[in-house]
Amino acid sequence: MNPLIHSILLVAGIVLLAWPAGTWLTWVLKTRRLDGIFSAALGKGILNPTSWKTYFLHLLGFNALMFVTTWIVLANQQHLPLNPDGLGNVPWHLVFNTSVSFVTNTNLQHYSGEATYSYLSQLTLMWLQFTSAATGIAAFAGLARGLAGNRDFGNFTHDIVRILLLFLLPIAFIWAILFAISGVPMTFEGAAIATTLEGASQTIARGPVAAFLAIKQLGTNGGGFFGPNSTHPLENPNLFSNILSMIAIAVIPMACVKAFGSLTGKEKHARIIGAVMLAFLLIKVTITVLPESAPTAAFANLPVAESANLEGKELRLGASTGPLWAVLTTSTSNGSVGAMHDSLNPISLLGPFSGMWLNSTFGGVGVGMINFFLFMVLAVFIAGLMIGRTPEYLGKKVEAREMALAAAGFIVHPLLILGGTALFAATPWGADTIHNSGPRGFSEILYEFSSAAANNGSGLEGLGDGTIAWNIATGIVMLLGRYLPILLPLAIAGALAAKPAVAESAGTLRTDTPTFGFMTFAVILFLGALTFLPVAMLGPILEHLIH
Amino acid sequence: MKPRSTRFDPLLLKRALLPSLKKLDPRVQWRNPVMFTVWLGAVLCTALLFRHHSAFEIQLTAWLWFTLLFANFAEAIAESRGKAQADSLRSMRVTTPARKLDNGKETSVSAEKLVPGDVVVCEAGDVIPADGEVTEGIASVDESAITGESAPVIRESGGDRSAVTGGTRVISDRILVKVTSKPGESFLDRMIALVEGGSRRMTPNEQALGVLLVSLTVVFVLVVFTLPSFTSFLSKQGLGGETPSLFVLIALLVCLIPTTIGGLVSAIGISGIDRLTRRNVLATSGRAVEAAGDIDVLLLDKTGTITLGNRQASHFVPAPGVTEKDLADAAQLASLADETPEGRSIVVLAKNLHQLRGHDLSSANATFVPFTAQTRMSGIDWQGRTIRKGAAEAVRKHVESLGGSFPNEASEEVNLISRAGGTPLVVVDNTKVLGVIHLKDIVKNGIRERFARLREMGIRTVMITGDNPRTAAAIAAEAGVDDFMAEATPEDKLQRIREEQAAGHLVAMTGDGTNDAPALAQADVGVAMNTGTQAAREAGNMVDLDSDPTKLIDIVETGKQLLMTRGSLTTFSLANDVAKYFAILPAMFASIAAVSGTGPLAALDIMGLHSPQSAILSAVIFNALIIIALIPLALKGVSYRPMNAASLLRRNLLIYGLGGLITPFPGIKLIDLILSTLHLV
């Protein structure tokens, strides 16, 4: 089948699944039926709604606790149980990077899991894949409540507990079983020793992979159990596991859009948001899948017959799923890989790159919708003025204070990506770690910072990123790229919630029309293009033109 | 203050030149961060020229300064209009001595020495020395100096026409005026400050837009100043390519940051207020003009806004056995001497319907009977006929006292007209009831369409009237207002405004009386009539010098236009960046990976520009010239027709979004052609 049609059909299928998932998520975030059980177990306090500030502080506190716990476990894994392969001491900067990476839902891995971390460490990281995803959804829930006009954003503890217990655990359980059925290992035994056909002895790493994999994909985490991530045959054995994985990557970010509509009571508005995100996703799919369907230019003068770019693809999964996966994983800040991104044709890289640069179509679980909200603030501001009104969003006036917070949000992302890349391109920190020269080398550095800032976690590989400089720099970028884009939108929603509501009329900018959708689309496209066009030219485009 | 030409007056242009230069002062530029960034770039380039200079660098630097000058010029020309108005107002300040009254004794004091509470005498020919209230007497006053309206207005003690303004002239009679304004704080002083823009502060929306523009500037600073690191990285990788010079980087930055809107934003704000001023509405702040754009409820007084001031005859309903023409004839006869607007309208209606041109009444036997409170009828005794017209009850008494009877059909008709909100007048000839004249409020021509347009814009109109609910409902239906308040008191108005605001609406209203003051203050946009009391003028945030309540609609439209101009030019400014990227980036990166001549990225030069240098220079020149080109639009505001929000957005997106995307491509190409033809690069 035509790879593009195949890809679009799969995306359509995920959209259909996201609908019930969104309804489920809404129920989890709204239900009061289990309040009695939660308050009996965790104290009455967890039912008290809090202001946005308290909500954010609780979120930060919880994440700090997770960070410290993880650091302690990873740094002392050699003294702790569940270490059948006797994996040893991990350098402090890698512990820092890994802890940050998993707490921030990035899961950038400057290591190979099976060779670096014990089962206990891996299980701790798996636990973080749950909590970091739940953190993102909780932040999103707080934002949605604020935008619905509530001064109280809910209770973070209450939210995180119910998101974990009622949403992520059940859905991950289902996926883990499906993965296990598809042949992904699920065991606490140490590595298997096999004798090969030649009679040599081979160590085959294994472990509780299916459980790890389910939440890795569902929570837009992306941290693989094995170093090669989902290109490893035990992490992604066949077409069934491959399709399951791709569905899991995008389903919750899409469900968040549906839940946004239900939580704010603006279902039509949410449909427009979903349509804009989907349009971006399909554009990215097209510009990535199509060039990959052609032979790579690198083989042009070699005696190799190629129908499509097959380098770096897992052929047992088919040649077209790699590029689709590359787009899904970067569009949702997941970061797991189903093909080596370094082997993509230069021009195809624009798809994954733009996924991370925009980081909101659909974006990470919860946070994608939060990032998209920032763009909408800008869109309603300009569109509001163009219809002769001082701008408003969901009935609240957007004024200088909100604009300043949103503006800070727009600056963070380019600052981290462009600033970081400029620093590393100019110093041996970056220049000495690239494995490809020229524009591809530049793309490697750019990709690493884009991935860290977008809390994505995938890598262009071919980059020696295990250095102290990379570990610390990307660690800092991941922290800023995670918490500022949660803090600023929550602050905006807090400011909006405190304002009196403005009545709607025919003169009001409607946010549930295709015109508004187009406006938002244009704003995202323009802002993204104007910010990242020069680096796109110097990286992928230059490389494409040279060949 | 009469509408002045909206065209560029050569004198105004000249007056704006010097301020444009003066505004290059960094302390002035600092207030506009976008233009301050350009200023820094221009200063830096100028400094670099001392070390090294080529023709390209000199031209580039010059155009950076021009960019600043053009933006300054836009602001200066917007201000110059106001300055000219302020000058003419200043010349009206009273310098003649005032005739102050102290315990019945008149003393001559300087007008500037008057304090609130002083009482002054003004007689025909005197200029009123200060703002005040008439405490005694009635006079006609020429207020043309302030309103531009040459017809004198009546000012009298008590009631809602008691306020007088310093600087206006008494034409007849004598009044005593109690001074209400402190020296230097008179209405005239405030007007001067307003039109001059001296007290202009950033409005909330300007601040918010400013924040957005600053953030875009910061993003573009990041984009531009990280480039040398990237190009030198590639160069070290063996791809060659020059690191872009500071000149080129600054050129790119200036092109990318939103200088178009940044350079025009204050001109847009000033001219918005100026447009209101030219419609003879004074806004006390730019904030009020912005608020006008958001208004979604208009409280409108019925009389004068929705209906013509007075009731008029609309048709004749004859009694059984009487022709309409006979009724019209009698009604006309009874009204010939009636000078009230109602009476005149009866004469006119009879003439229009039946070509009755009145009878020759010069014969001595015609006696006019004027309206009295006792008879509540008026009419004529002529050729033995006793024709009367009046309210139904009065006529019934009249007829019955003469032994006649009042027909049932006429009674029914009277009830019918009352129920429809009209006023019935019964006409009787001796004892014979001829029929009924239907008097009704006449809704102004075109007002219904105007309300329909407002509705489309999402603005609800509420009619306020002292009429009873039945009458009010009839007029409301005819005028097409959305809602009405009958038998409304000023307290009701205030209450209504509070209710609307609590429901999230923004309310505008007009008022003139002292008892309107609380409601004017409560409303988001309160337009006080200039004929109104001092209290009302203080309470509102706008004063309408023409005292025309219909103008509220213009005010709302001006507010919307102001915001739309801001939004549209922001969109235009951002959309322009795409073309500038395509001009400058290929030029900047042309030497990367070049084997001979230009490298692969030069292929992105889709405009086919002459050379890298001319490409960069053309973009900078276009960026500067577009400011000049858009000054008329900034001053006039984008064209505006009332329509719903979605179509408005589509239209403006098409014009300013798509237009902004496309325009610079031919523009830059054209400049490039001129530069290369003239061998400037």
Side-chain angles (χ1 to χ4, degrees):
Chain A
M1 206 194 321
N2 179 316
L4 188 58
I5 294 175
H6 168 200
S7 304
I8 290 170
L9 283 178
L10 188 72
V11 170
I14 307 175
V15 172
L16 287 181
L17 273 175
W19 206 263
T23 312
W24 181 0
L25 180 57
T26 310
W27 176 81
V28 167
L29 292 171
K30 271 185 157 168
T31 183
R32 314 291 306 185
R33 276 196 204 163
L34 301 161
D35 283 3
I37 302 169
F38 286 136
S39 59
L42 295 153
K44 283 244 181 299
I46 75 154
L47 297 181
N48 294 340
T50 65
S51 70
W52 76 266
K53 275 182 200 149
T54 315
Y55 196 93
F56 179 73
L57 284 177
H58 287 181
L59 183 152
L60 212 57
F62 175 74
N63 278 250
L65 183 69
M66 292 297 128
F67 175 74
V68 172
T69 315
T70 313
W71 185 306
I72 292 170
V73 171
L74 298 191
N76 299 293
Q77 63 169 355
Q78 65 273 34
H79 312 300
L80 294 170
L82 278 181
N83 191 358
D85 297 321
L87 293 169
N89 206 355
V90 182
W92 66 270
H93 48 89
L94 182 57
V95 171
F96 165 72
N97 190 281
T98 310
S99 307
V100 169
S101 174
F102 279 74
V103 169
T104 57
N105 195 253
T106 313
N107 314 0
L108 191 69
Q109 292 168 294
H110 288 171
Y111 61 88
S112 271
E114 69 277 29
T116 313
Y117 287 121
S118 71
Y119 286 173
L120 182 70
S121 298
Q122 294 270 48
L123 283 174
T124 310
L125 297 181
M126 183 177 85
W127 169 240
L128 285 185
Q129 305 210 38
F130 278 100
T131 59
S132 67
T135 298
I137 297 176
F140 153 76
L143 180 89
R145 291 191 193 111
L147 293 178
N150 301 319
R151 282 187 189 220
D152 291 324
F153 277 43
N155 184 297
F156 177 76
T157 319
H158 188 200
D159 279 343
I160 199 114
V161 170
R162 49 185 171 172
I163 293 165
L164 281 172
L165 293 181
L166 303 178
F167 188 66
L168 288 178
L169 276 173
I171 206 169
F173 187 73
I174 298 171
W175 244 270
I177 290 182
L178 291 173
F179 276 130
I181 292 171
S182 78
V184 177
M186 183 67 206
T187 174
F188 280 107
E189 285 175 37
I193 310 293
T195 309
T196 65
L197 287 175
E198 294 107 40
S201 167
Q202 186 190 5
T203 308
I204 300 173
R206 53 184 180 174
V209 187
F212 201 92
L213 182 61
I215 190 61
K216 155 189 137 179
Q217 304 298 33
L218 288 165
T220 59
N221 288 289
F225 191 90
F226 301 107
N229 210 300
S230 285
T231 56
H232 191 290
L234 293 186
E235 197 152 332
N236 189 6
N238 47 42
L239 192 63
F240 181 54
S241 68
N242 196 50
I243 288 176
L244 267 182
S245 289
M246 285 201 274
I247 293 173
I249 285 173
V251 72
I252 297 182
M254 286 181 181
C256 285
V257 179
K258 161 86 174 112
F260 183 76
S262 309
L263 290 173
T264 55
K266 309 276 178 192
E267 310 257 358
K268 255 181 102 184
H269 174 47
R271 279 205 282 280
I272 294 293
I273 294 173
V276 173
M277 289 182 169
L278 196 61
F280 271 106
L281 184 66
L282 292 178
I283 291 172
K284 286 179 282 188
V285 167
T286 309
I287 62 169
T288 310
V289 169
L290 281 187
E292 286 305 297
S293 311
T296 175
F299 289 174
N301 299 318
L302 299 176
V304 180
E306 240 196 350
S307 59
N309 177 17
L310 299 179
E311 191 201 296
K313 306 278 188 324
E314 283 301 303
L315 291 184
R316 68 206 148 79
L317 306 173
S320 69
T321 65
L324 173 63
W325 184 307
V327 172
L328 288 176
T329 193
T330 47
S331 290
T332 60
S333 113
N334 184 297
S336 67
V337 290
M340 281 295 127
H341 291 190
D342 202 16
S343 297
L344 293 178
N345 280 326
I347 204 71
S348 320
L349 281 178
L350 286 177
F353 264 127
S354 41
M356 296 185 291
W357 290 338
L358 303 179
N359 203 23
S360 56
T361 60
F362 287 74
V365 288
V367 291
M369 195 50 237
I370 297 181
N371 287 337
F372 194 87
F373 164 70
L374 276 184
F375 284 113
M376 281 198 295
V377 171
L378 183 59
V380 295
F381 189 84
I382 298 177
L385 286 181
M386 277 205 285
I387 60 162
R389 301 265 297 200
T390 58
E392 61 206 36
Y393 178 66
L394 300 188
K396 303 296 177 86
K397 287 274 170 221
V398 176
E399 291 166 301
R401 183 187 157 78
E402 294 76 45
M403 207 56 229
L405 292 165
F410 295 129
I411 296 171
V412 171
H413 205 49
L415 175 69
L416 296 178
I417 295 175
L418 299 178
T421 309
L423 181 66
F424 271 56
T427 55
W429 293 338
D432 289 356
T433 55
I434 53 167
H435 288 182
N436 289 288
S437 67
R440 179 55 67 112
F442 175 70
S443 292
E444 284 172 2
I445 298 175
L446 180 66
Y447 196 102
E448 192 72 6
F449 275 106
S450 303
S451 175
N455 292 146
N456 182 277
S458 66
L460 198 50
E461 299 315 327
L463 182 72
D465 52 19
T467 63
I468 298 186
W470 272 117
N471 280 337
I472 291 176
T474 51
I476 293 169
V477 167
M478 285 186 282
L479 283 174
L480 295 176
R482 173 71 169 179
Y483 296 106
L484 286 179
I486 289 178
L487 167 66
L488 297 168
L490 282 182
I492 297 175
L496 290 178
K499 293 185 184 196
V502 182
E504 269 194 37
S505 74
T508 315
L509 175 71
R510 294 184 65 104
T511 49
D512 55 2
T513 59
T515 312
F516 177 75
F518 176 78
M519 179 76 201
T520 313
F521 179 89
V523 162
I524 296 175
L525 187 67
F526 262 70
L527 207 64
L530 293 179
T531 311
F532 294 109
L533 191 66
V535 284
M537 278 191 184
L538 292 176
I541 296 176
L542 178 61
E543 191 185 350
H544 175 74
L545 291 173
I546 284 177
H547 286 296
Chain B
M1 301 297 285
K2 264 280 118 176
R4 291 191 169 93
S5 160
T6 52
R7 296 265 152 243
F8 289 106
D9 182 342
L11 188 74
L12 288 187
L13 290 179
K14 233 160 76 189
R15 284 173 74 142
L17 285 178
L18 192 62
S20 310
L21 279 169
K22 277 193 189 152
K23 282 170 193 285
L24 287 177
D25 185 331
R27 284 165 301 180
V28 178
Q29 295 291 324
W30 173 244
R31 279 183 279 157
N32 184 339
V34 177
M35 298 319 286
F36 184 68
T37 309
V38 180
W39 185 88
L40 282 178
V43 168
L44 198 60
C45 285
T46 311
L48 287 172
L49 284 182
F50 286 103
R51 273 204 0 224
H52 170 264
H53 54 266
S54 64
F56 167 69
E57 287 160 352
I58 292 170
Q59 289 183 68
L60 191 67
T61 310
W63 279 104
L64 294 183
W65 286 112
F66 277 130
T67 310
L68 286 167
L69 284 175
F70 292 166
N72 290 346
F73 182 71
E75 190 182 73
I77 197 142
E79 287 171 346
S80 69
R81 275 213 183 113
K83 285 220 174 80
Q85 283 171 338
D87 287 348
S88 75
L89 286 174
R90 235 181 236 116
S91 65
M92 287 167 31
R93 277 212 183 114
V94 185
T95 43
T96 51
R99 297 160 61 184
K100 188 175 160 196
L101 209 56
D102 270 331
N103 303 323
K105 237 177 59 198
E106 223 183 276
T107 48
S108 179
V109 297
S110 155
E112 288 116 53
K113 296 242 169 69
L114 291 173
V115 293
D118 286 351
V119 176
V120 290
V121 185
C122 299
E123 273 182 316
D126 286 349
V127 172
I128 298 171
D131 295 356
E133 300 269 352
V134 179
T135 54
E136 205 184 305
I138 175 166
S140 53
V141 179
D142 173 10
E143 294 195 337
S144 61
I146 291 192
T147 63
E149 180 57 60
S150 55
V153 293
I154 300 294
R155 292 284 177 249
E156 58 187 330
S157 61
D160 290 343
R161 292 163 165 265
S162 61
V164 287
T165 309
T168 56
R169 184 177 295 272
V170 176
I171 297 182
S172 70
D173 304 285
R174 176 178 189 271
I175 45 173
L176 295 188
V177 174
K178 190 169 151 201
V179 176
T180 52
S181 66
K182 288 188 198 149
E185 289 177 20
S186 70
F187 185 64
L188 199 59
D189 291 315
R190 275 187 297 143
M191 242 172 95
I192 292 170
L194 281 173
V195 297
E196 206 170 31
S199 58
R200 210 181 96 80
R201 291 224 303 270
M202 285 250 264
T203 63
N205 180 258
E206 272 180 312
Q207 283 172 5
L209 179 64
V211 168
L212 170 65
L213 299 183
V214 168
S215 73
L216 289 171
T217 305
V218 172
V219 168
F220 287 128
V221 166
L222 271 169
V223 169
V224 171
F225 287 102
T226 49
L227 284 177
S229 161
F230 304 154
T231 51
S232 67
F233 172 85
L234 291 174
S235 171
K236 276 185 228 149
Q237 296 284 313
L239 287 171
E242 305 156 12
T243 298
S245 74
L246 209 48
F247 282 100
V248 174
L249 290 175
I250 289 171
L252 177 62
L253 179 66
V254 168
C255 282
L256 291 180
I257 62 176
T259 50
T260 313
I261 179 67
L264 292 172
V265 71
S266 67
I268 294 170
I270 297 168
S271 66
I273 296 184
D274 185 54
R275 275 200 300 282
L276 272 187
T277 312
R278 273 183 284 123
R279 288 183 184 186
N280 268 0
V281 177
L282 294 182
T284 52
S285 66
R287 191 189 194 117
V289 186
E290 262 170 26
D294 286 348
I295 292 301
D296 57 356
V297 175
L298 289 184
L299 297 191
L300 298 168
D301 281 320
K302 181 198 81 180
T303 309
T305 312
I306 296 168
T307 61
L308 298 170
N310 301 288
R311 299 182 158 217
Q312 299 197 346
S314 76
H315 53 275
F316 300 108
V317 187
V322 181
T323 64
E324 193 186 331
K325 187 166 177 182
D326 287 343
L327 170 62
D329 187 37
Q332 191 184 43
L333 277 168
S335 307
L336 279 174
D338 187 350
E339 281 302 313
T340 62
E342 288 86 354
R344 261 177 287 161
S345 78
I346 295 171
V347 175
V348 171
L349 184 71
K351 190 174 90 183
N352 288 349
L353 288 180
H354 300 289
Q355 287 75 45
L356 295 170
R357 299 214 164 262
H359 297 257
D360 177 18
L361 298 174
S362 56
S363 49
N365 54 0
T367 317
F368 295 114
V369 180
F371 180 87
T372 67
Q374 282 78 39
T375 62
R376 288 164 64 214
M377 292 187 301
S378 62
I380 188 171
D381 293 336
W382 181 60
Q383 292 180 348
R385 297 167 72 185
T386 314
I387 304 172
R388 294 288 182 277
K389 69 173 201 294
E393 278 316 298
V395 173
R396 182 189 296 275
K397 262 192 213 155
H398 169 75
V399 172
E400 283 168 359
S401 72
L402 293 175
S405 69
F406 197 87
N408 275 337
E409 290 84 352
S411 295
E412 269 166 36
E413 191 55 41
V414 164
N415 283 338
L416 221 64
I417 293 172
S418 298
R419 232 172 294 142
T423 306
L425 279 185
V426 181
V427 181
V428 61
D429 187 353
N430 294 329
T431 59
K432 189 178 184 201
V433 174
L434 296 177
V436 188
I437 310 169
H438 187 167
L439 288 182
K440 61 191 245 183
D441 268 313
I442 299 298
V443 170
K444 278 189 178 175
N445 223 354
I447 200 88
R448 198 186 168 88
E449 290 70 32
R450 205 149 186 198
F451 288 150
R453 268 173 28 185
L454 287 173
R455 195 168 307 116
E456 219 170 289
M457 289 155 62
I459 297 172
R460 209 148 43 79
T461 43
V462 180
M463 182 183 85
I464 312 241
T465 170
D467 293 341
N468 64 55
R470 199 199 287 164
T471 312
I475 298 165
E478 191 184 344
V481 293
D482 299 284
D483 197 1
F484 65 90
M485 282 175 77
E487 290 166 357
T489 62
E491 293 72 38
D492 294 339
K493 267 198 214 180
L494 181 62
Q495 184 56 31
R496 177 69 183 245
I497 294 175
R498 291 209 171 120
E499 280 165 17
E500 295 283 0
Q501 286 173 334
H505 296 289
L506 280 107
V507 184
M509 69 163 284
T510 59
D512 50 8
T514 302
N515 46 19
D516 281 335
L520 281 173
Q522 178 73 34
D524 299 284
V525 172
V527 184
M529 299 292 105
N530 192 43
T531 52
T533 59
Q534 197 64 28
R537 293 202 309 202
E538 295 280 345
N541 45 16
M542 291 189 193
V543 176
D544 179 14
L545 299 175
D546 295 341
S547 305
D548 168 12
T550 325
K551 227 187 264 174
L552 202 47
I553 300 169
D554 296 338
I555 293 171
V556 169
E557 293 187 351
T558 307
K560 285 199 177 294
Q561 203 187 21
L562 167 75
L563 294 170
M564 275 167 50
T565 310
R566 227 176 250 162
S568 300
L569 290 186
T570 304
T571 308
F572 187 85
S573 192
L574 288 178
N576 270 203
D577 279 2
V578 175
K580 294 174 197 161
Y581 255 145
F582 276 100
I584 295 187
L585 287 184
M588 206 176 205
F589 299 151
S591 54
I592 295 174
V595 181
S596 63
T598 54
L601 284 175
L604 295 175
D605 171 23
I606 52 178
M607 281 175 273
L609 301 176
H610 175 70
S611 68
Q613 287 194 342
S614 85
I616 293 165
L617 201 54
S618 302
V620 172
I621 294 175
F622 178 84
N623 190 54
L625 291 180
I626 198 75
I627 296 179
I628 283 283
L630 291 175
I631 289 178
L633 186 67
L635 296 186
K636 240 172 44 201
V638 302
S639 73
Y640 171 64
R641 276 184 302 128
M643 53 175 101
N644 68 45
S647 4
L648 208 53
L649 180 59
R650 271 198 296 277
R651 176 173 166 272
N652 285 336
L653 264 182
L654 198 68
I655 300 176
Y656 299 98
L658 192 63
L661 191 64
I662 295 169
T663 317
F665 283 99
I668 291 174
K669 178 72 185 170
L670 185 68
I671 296 169
D672 176 75
L673 280 175
I674 295 171
L675 288 181
S676 57
T677 314
L678 297 177
H679 298 289
L680 287 171
V681 278

